[in-house]
Amino acid sequence: MVRTYKFRLYPTTEQLEKIQFTLERCRLLYNRLLDERIHAYKMEGKTLTYGQQTNTFRERKQHISTLKEVYSQVLQDVARRLDKAYQSFFRRIKNGDKAGFPRFKPQNRYDSFTYPQSGFDLDGKHIELSKIGQVRIKLHRQPQGTIKTCTITVKNGRYYACLSCEVEAEPLPETNRRVGVDLGIKHLAATSDGQMFAAPNHLRNNEAKLKRQQKSLSRKQYGSMRRRKAIMALARQHERVANQRKDYAHQISKTLVDNYDIIAFEELNVQMMVKNRHLAKSIADAGWSILVQFVTYKAESAGRQVVRVDPHNTSQCCSACNKIVKKTLAERMHRCPHCGATIDRDVNAAINILSRAMRQVS
Ligand SMILES: [Zn+2]
């Protein structure tokens, strides 16, 4: 399985110029290749393949000498990206989805390039990038497994290396425990054995800050330096919030995967929930889908099982006697008039999720 690590880079001025140069070469090549595909289709009614396009690279370099200053596999990856864009375009047509045709990349909208196999070498404080140099890297953790690809990205004026690594699955010892997880607003998650994971408040606070920055941005004059600075600050704050959400999801998902063999969630129907505008903000905030996603990939490498169940009535059904007990969102306790069960409403839902999962599994 593949795991991706993202590390900050600190390029020198010269390296920075080379990175920008590479991005611009890749962008122009991308647009050129797209143009050629469109043209070939118009003239001959056929789509050029990845192989046909990369076969032209040798000749291209003879005419455009600047291409020689970019690592050859990085250029090939540009053709691969375009090919992927085409494939997903065809897939969307086939599925009857709204199909956006691959687009030309305007200036400053091409923000990454990839070394797909070689041309990079990681050693401690530096990463050697072919045609760019020894770039200082901040390894805040040691990547596991074999590094397969290295993608250099620019985001909000900062530079990163994303290393995707092939790691061996490492099954965790069985615990003989299983858990149902109710995802909520009051708590981000409540488990069938009564554990609560609070909705992240620090995220809320930082969102308030985000709002203030948004407001201050709107007061700045168009085209001014102060406005540009405010845009950058806002983008970084967005990034900060996204990172915090991820960190939190990493913590909870690790706890769940370490402690349970089977982890059950409700099937998330985010689209439906986002329609309910009152809930929408909290959902985006709570980051449910990120949590489910993290649990799912961690479970895969740990040999755990993730089960998704039908969410219908999980909060209304009594987990003790299975009768329906209607309650509003404001009622925090489940009190069953039929069997007398009294329990936190989210824990009640989590128990229902678990029992549905167990029926599904057996
Ligand atoms: Zn009951």
Side-chain angles (χ1 to χ4, degrees), residues 318-323 325 334 336-341:
C318 173
S319 58
C321 71
N322 256 330
K323 293 210 168 74
V325 183
H334 166 81
C336 182
H338 309 286
C339 73

Side-chain angles (χ1 to χ4, degrees), residues 180-182 264-266 309 314 349-358:
V181 182
D182 179 64
F265 291 103
E266 284 175 297
V309 305
T314 46
I351 296 171
N352 286 330
I353 290 166
L354 178 59
S355 48
R356 278 183 200 187
M358 294 323 289

Side-chain angles (χ1 to χ4, degrees), residues 35-283:
D35 189 55
E36 285 169 10
R37 280 200 182 211
I38 293 170
H39 191 71
Y41 190 79
K42 274 188 190 152
M43 301 305 284
E44 300 161 52
K46 60 183 180 192
T47 304
L48 295 173
T49 63
Y50 165 76
Q52 283 168 329
Q53 293 207 297
T54 47
N55 278 342
T56 64
F57 281 13
R58 191 184 293 268
E59 207 192 321
R60 251 175 238 272
K61 282 184 191 173
Q62 284 168 0
H63 298 291
I64 311 166
S65 60
T66 49
L67 282 181
K68 288 185 208 153
E69 290 167 52
V70 179
Y71 190 65
S72 60
Q73 288 194 358
V74 168
L75 294 177
Q76 281 167 22
D77 188 71
V78 172
R80 193 173 293 121
R81 287 184 186 194
L82 178 62
D83 196 51
K84 272 190 191 159
Y86 261 83
Q87 279 167 20
S88 60
F89 167 66
F90 290 137
R91 201 177 314 122
R92 286 195 299 270
I93 291 183
K94 206 175 143 202
N95 296 342
D97 297 337
K98 207 175 143 206
F101 190 77
R103 290 187 198 185
F104 289 98
K105 305 279 185 190
Q107 215 154 11
N108 296 323
R109 279 298 164 83
Y110 202 92
D111 56 9
S112 72
F113 58 88
T114 300
Y115 293 86
Q117 275 175 348
S118 60
F120 59 90
D121 189 22
L122 188 65
D123 82 284
K125 291 183 173 165
H126 293 88
I127 185 164
E128 164 99 44
L129 300 173
S130 184
K131 306 273 185 182
I132 288 170
Q134 286 257 335
V135 184
R136 200 155 70 80
I137 189 169
K138 192 182 173 198
L139 282 189
H140 54 270
R141 58 199 283 210
Q142 199 59 41
Q144 307 287 308
T146 333
I147 306 173
K148 293 292 184 188
T149 72
C150 168
T151 298
I152 307 302
T153 65
V154 188
K155 199 174 180 197
N156 305 325
R158 289 178 177 167
Y159 295 80
Y160 301 92
C162 297
L163 307 176
S164 71
C165 301
E166 185 70 42
V167 287
E168 299 261 330
E170 284 173 55
L172 290 171
E174 273 184 43
T175 62
N176 290 316
R177 296 172 67 200
R178 38 193 172 241
V179 73
V181 182
D182 179 64
L183 300 170
I185 304 216
K186 182 98 175 159
H187 311 284
L188 174 60
T191 69
S192 49
D193 40 20
Q195 210 178 344
M196 301 287 185
F197 296 97
N201 273 328
H202 55 280
L203 262 172
R204 276 259 154 79
N205 297 340
N206 270 325
E207 276 210 346
K209 190 173 170 193
L210 212 57
K211 228 176 228 167
R212 281 200 304 278
Q213 285 180 326
Q214 186 84 53
K215 231 179 184 170
S216 109
L217 176 64
S218 64
R219 287 195 295 263
K220 303 265 185 308
Q221 206 171 2
Y222 273 93
S224 69
M225 190 59 176
R226 300 182 72 187
R227 185 181 162 84
R228 224 178 308 157
K229 273 191 182 158
I231 289 175
M232 191 63 96
L234 183 66
R236 288 197 175 135
Q237 183 63 14
H238 267 294
E239 210 181 328
R240 201 167 296 133
V241 169
N243 285 342
Q244 286 176 338
R245 187 173 291 145
K246 277 188 201 156
D247 280 347
Y248 192 56
H250 272 306
Q251 284 171 31
I252 303 177
S253 57
K254 185 175 186 318
T255 307
L256 292 174
V257 170
D258 282 351
N259 289 299
Y260 303 96
D261 298 340
I262 297 176
I263 303 154
F265 291 103
E266 284 175 297
E267 200 70 69
L268 285 181
N269 187 349
V270 174
Q271 228 166 13
M272 191 188 77
M273 293 183 290
V274 169
K275 272 186 192 154
N276 182 341
R277 296 184 67 204
H278 179 68
L279 283 181
K281 198 188 121 33
S282 304
I283 290 164

